[in-house]
Amino acid sequence: MATPNYSYEKRQRELAKKRKKEEKLKRKSTGSGAGEGGEPEAGEAADDTPPADGTPPAGGSSAG
């Protein structure tokens, strides 16, 4: 049975991480905050815009 080549596997993981990081930087530099599907990614949604149905945003307490 062949032994696993851990060096090769590690290198592939590092290259994948590097590729992912570069893609993220490229997306940030282009200014598009949306993902592939056209919807904002998790954590990138604008929190200061009220919902379309007119309800107050969650987490903000209007009563003092």
Side-chain angles (χ1 to χ4, degrees):
M1 190 162 129
T3 58
N5 188 348
Y6 294 112
S7 305
Y8 176 79
E9 291 175 9
K10 182 179 179 183
R11 178 74 176 142
Q12 293 305 307
R13 283 193 307 269
E14 289 173 352
L15 289 172
K17 279 185 188 179
K18 186 177 179 181
R19 228 178 293 124
K20 189 173 181 181
K21 189 175 181 180
E22 287 174 354
E23 287 174 8
K24 189 174 182 180
L25 282 173
K26 194 193 311 188
R27 273 187 289 154
K28 276 191 171 187
S29 67
T30 57
S32 66
E36 300 283 336
E39 294 189 2
E41 293 182 2
E44 294 185 15
D47 291 334
D48 58 342
T49 57
D53 62 3
T55 58
S61 62
S62 57

